[in-house]
Amino acid sequence: RGCCCRGDAGAVHVECLIEAAIHASESAGDWSQWGQCSTCHEYFTGKVQLELAQKRFDRSHDDSDEHEHHFAMGQLAAVFCDHGRFEDALPLEVAALADRTRLLGEDHPDTLTALNNLAMTYDRMGKYAEAAELQSKVTETRKRTQGPEHPHTLTAMGNLAHTYN
């Protein structure tokens, strides 16, 4: 017997899942389980994943927690990318990068993650020159701030190599 969040145990009502996710997250005071089914503990996929991410982002505009808003923005951009909707993801990633740069500075690890996410989207869109330029910046900044053998630096180097591949 399957879980209805996968659609294999009957019809799923996305609005019901959204309300359940909101209730569970607000009750626990923790939004980390937002995209995960409370029954089977699998992460949502497809239309459910997309609608939940959109709803979370929409709700974050009303939230005074700036961190929640930025997280929801990044999550929605990632879900758009997962669904091949790069043009929808791009403005969210550009905004996330601008906000993190303004709030945290250019060298902060979260800013570099936002820069990497933007580069990866450019790469997936076939904009390799733009992707390589941003990945180079991420790699050089991580080398300088975290050292050449730090795991995040090595990941950045791998991402840059992938862009050139």
Side-chain angles (χ1 to χ4, degrees):
R1 184 160 157 88
C3 181
C4 67
C5 78
R6 295 279 176 245
D8 58 3
V12 60
H13 299 107
V14 174
E15 277 301 315
C16 294
L17 290 173
I18 290 170
E19 290 307 314
I22 291 168
H23 177 72
S25 298
E26 288 178 346
S27 296
D30 176 16
W31 290 93
S32 65
Q33 304 302 313
W34 174 266
Q36 192 174 9
C37 177
S38 61
T39 303
C40 70
H41 305 289
E42 293 289 327
Y43 287 94
F44 297 117
T45 60
K47 181 181 179 184
V48 174
Q49 177 193 37
L50 185 58
E51 290 195 31
L52 280 169
Q54 182 69 59
K55 185 72 167 187
R56 182 178 183 184
F57 177 68
D58 293 345
R59 288 177 58 88
S60 74
H61 288 292
D62 301 330
D63 197 338
S64 62
D65 182 357
E66 193 168 20
H67 176 74
E68 166 57 21
H69 178 69
H70 292 293
F71 186 85
M73 184 186 317
Q75 182 185 42
L76 180 58
V79 170
F80 279 150
C81 285
D82 289 347
H83 289 264
R85 293 177 54 181
F86 307 116
E87 296 295 334
D88 292 324
L90 202 57
L92 294 173
E93 290 178 344
V94 168
L97 176 61
D99 287 347
R100 288 186 180 150
T101 301
R102 178 179 51 82
L103 294 169
L104 304 171
E106 287 187 1
D107 294 348
H108 192 278
D110 290 349
T111 303
L112 296 175
T113 297
L115 187 60
N116 175 73
N117 292 345
L118 179 58
M120 296 298 282
T121 298
Y122 279 136
D123 183 79
R124 291 176 76 183
M125 294 174 77
K127 297 182 177 186
Y128 302 116
E130 292 92 335
E133 180 181 341
L134 297 180
Q135 289 292 10
S136 293
K137 184 174 181 179
V138 171
T139 300
E140 292 309 312
T141 305
R142 289 209 188 270
K143 279 183 188 175
R144 181 173 42 79
T145 60
Q146 296 177 306
E149 295 183 21
H150 189 279
H152 291 153
T153 303
L154 298 174
T155 298
M157 293 167 78
N159 290 343
L160 178 59
H162 177 270
T163 299
Y164 286 130
N165 203 5

